[in-house]
Amino acid sequence: MRHFGHIAPEVRQRLFHQEPGAFTADSPARLLSAALGATLYSPATRPRLTDDIVKQSGRGVVSMVLCLEDSIGDEDVPAGEDNLVAQLTELAGRPDADDPPLLFIRVRTPEQIPDLVRRLGPAVRLLSGFVLPKFTGERGMPFLEALSSAETDSGRRLFAMPVLESPELLYRESRVETLEGIFRAVDKYRDRVLALRLGVTDFCSSYGLRRAPDMTAYDVQVVASVISDVVNMLGRADGTGFTVTGPVWEYFRVQERMFKPQLRRSPFLEGQAENLREALIEHAMDGLLREITLDHANGLLGKTCIHPSHVLPVHALSVVSHEEFSDAQDILKPERGGGGVLRSQYTNKMNEVKPHRAWAERTLLRAEVFGVANEDIGFVELLAAGIPA
């Protein structure tokens, strides 16, 4: 699989200076954690789940979560498990499903992990891992131990994606202690923790809040403070950190808005895509695009998505610009090992070798999986090219 693999090769050639690289479910964890992109959630109870997976894969989705937790009712869990096993077994036998997205199951209890792996039998080869809800150091360890045991029994490499969403993490008086406990748990199973996911909806619910479609998670200060502390303690670039993914965007159509749209008109006029701008605004995508940009600025990569229309914006804004690529390559040249300061090739900024090295390394990793845009290509062209005709 590869990002933007669903668009024609000649279009990719026009868009990219360096095309997105191919990867598989067996690729190194460091690469996969950067490649997750827009992780699309789907309730495990969907009757045509196999068809949904194949369809979304054909539209550019590279990671999906099949959810047995909050997206379904308590009474529907047994039926959801049965449907999940049946649908993945069907998918394993379909000739048009040779290269499915990275698939994860969001469970409720540790016991579900070995039970589902056992029931899946040979179809477990389609599974990349499990999403672990309401993760803390104390509650998370049984999930990680169950995953490790299931991995041994099945012979299949399985990753964990803990969701950080508990009230203990939100409340100031218990936050640092909770983060320390989370770090100890995930550090012990570092080789199997692919990414940490943020449950912002649960954070908001603890205070009876819900952000509006023209607000981002970073405008809700109590939520922004948690994101900041999670990145501070769990997302460091010194080798101790993990990939932290962006929070879910809840909206996909807006009936009425209070504030002006947040998308400037000029990039769309230059790309002759004013109709695309209007469609993005109508479907609340201007807020989503702003939040993705803020995710990146705050050290997050990838995003939880609950609607297929959110996938392309996440991927388009994850492509490395030609300018970023140029700066990163300059910073990481072997002869720059001693440090120093240099003017960028675009002659618009200072690149300081030692302080910018970690950024450059992350940028080139992102370039490996999302590609590098051609010099005259911006996110508008990437968005427009990825929309089905």
Side-chain angles (χ1 to χ4, degrees):
M1 70 190 90
R2 72 170 73 228
H3 287 291
F4 297 93
H6 63 299
I7 65 178
E10 61 272 17
V11 178
R12 288 204 306 270
Q13 189 174 15
R14 175 176 60 83
L15 294 173
F16 289 100
H17 170 77
Q18 174 184 300
E19 290 196 23
F23 56 93
T24 72
D26 297 318
S27 293
R30 182 170 179 269
L31 190 71
L32 292 181
S33 68
L36 286 166
T39 300
L40 184 64
Y41 274 56
S42 177
T45 51
R46 288 183 65 87
R48 298 180 63 85
L49 189 58
T50 296
D51 292 334
D52 292 341
I53 293 170
V54 173
K55 178 181 178 181
Q56 297 307 328
S57 177
R59 293 184 173 182
V61 172
V62 304
S63 63
M64 290 185 70
V65 172
L66 315 177
C67 185
L68 289 165
E69 210 226 357
D70 286 347
S71 68
I72 67 174
D74 297 346
E75 69 281 3
D76 294 326
V77 173
E81 292 180 343
D82 291 343
N83 186 61
L84 190 58
V85 171
Q87 297 280 342
L88 288 182
T89 300
E90 178 188 343
L91 183 65
R94 282 180 57 156
D96 60 347
D98 289 340
D99 193 21
L102 303 172
L103 297 176
F104 303 85
I105 299 174
R106 184 178 184 180
V107 291
R108 294 183 173 216
T109 67
E111 294 75 22
Q112 285 177 299
I113 294 175
D115 180 59
L116 287 168
V117 167
R118 176 186 57 80
R119 292 168 64 183
L120 282 169
V124 76
R125 66 178 177 80
L126 298 176
L127 198 60
S128 290
F130 291 86
V131 174
L132 315 181
K134 298 172 178 60
F135 193 94
T136 64
E138 182 179 354
R139 286 198 296 271
M141 284 302 293
F143 282 99
L144 292 170
E145 290 165 356
L147 182 138
S148 179
S149 177
E151 182 182 64
T152 300
D153 292 343
S154 67
R156 169 70 180 168
R157 182 181 70 167
L158 297 171
F159 287 112
M161 291 202 291
V163 185
L164 310 185
E165 56 188 346
S166 65
E168 299 98 314
L169 181 58
L170 181 63
Y171 300 151
R172 181 179 292 275
E173 66 272 19
S174 55
R175 185 178 302 170
V176 172
E177 182 181 354
T178 301
L179 283 167
E180 289 173 342
I182 290 170
F183 178 79
R184 286 191 295 270
V186 295
D187 188 52
K188 182 177 179 180
Y189 289 88
R190 177 172 294 274
D191 291 345
R192 288 296 168 263
V193 176
L194 192 60
L196 304 177
R197 312 199 72 88
L198 289 166
V200 164
T201 301
D202 280 49
F203 291 156
C204 288
S205 74
S206 295
Y207 288 90
L209 304 174
R210 185 173 192 177
R211 68 189 189 276
D214 34 23
M215 298 284 182
T216 72
Y218 302 92
D219 295 312
V220 183
Q221 291 300 299
V222 69
V223 169
S225 72
V226 184
I227 296 174
S228 174
D229 287 343
V230 168
V231 174
N232 190 325
M233 295 183 67
L234 301 174
R236 297 176 185 179
D238 60 359
T240 67
F242 297 83
T243 294
V244 182
T245 65
V248 68
W249 181 258
E250 298 178 351
Y251 297 94
F252 43 89
R253 191 173 182 87
V254 177
Q255 302 303 321
E256 183 179 1
R257 64 170 61 239
M258 182 181 299
F259 299 109
K260 289 182 178 180
Q262 302 174 73
L263 285 180
R264 290 189 303 113
R265 207 175 280 272
S266 55
F268 293 86
L269 293 176
E270 291 167 10
Q272 297 183 325
E274 178 65 10
N275 289 340
L276 173 59
R277 178 180 181 272
E278 296 300 325
L280 291 171
I281 292 170
E282 180 184 355
H283 291 84
M285 295 299 181
D286 55 325
L288 171 61
L289 291 169
R290 180 167 178 261
E291 185 166 284
I292 296 165
T293 303
L294 290 170
D295 287 342
H296 293 174
N298 285 278
L300 311 185
L301 182 60
K303 199 166 187 66
T304 295
C305 293
I306 47 84
H307 195 273
S309 63
H310 299 169
V311 172
L312 182 57
V314 173
H315 292 171
L317 284 176
S318 297
V319 173
V320 173
S321 71
H322 188 273
E323 181 174 346
E324 290 175 310
F325 186 64
S326 171
D327 289 339
Q329 283 194 312
D330 277 354
I331 290 165
L332 295 176
K333 283 180 178 177
E335 61 267 28
R336 308 288 187 198
V341 178
L342 57 146
R343 184 175 66 172
S344 73
Q345 289 188 24
Y346 276 70
T347 67
N348 60 358
K349 71 176 75 65
M350 173 195 75
N351 288 327
E352 194 167 353
V353 173
K354 288 183 178 179
H356 290 144
R357 178 170 292 275
W359 168 85
E361 290 171 347
R362 285 187 170 185
T363 298
L364 291 190
L365 178 61
R366 181 159 55 94
E368 188 174 346
V369 291
F370 286 102
V372 178
N374 269 323
E375 194 167 357
D376 59 342
I377 296 296
F379 79 93
V380 173
E381 289 84 0
L382 292 162
L383 279 171
I387 296 174

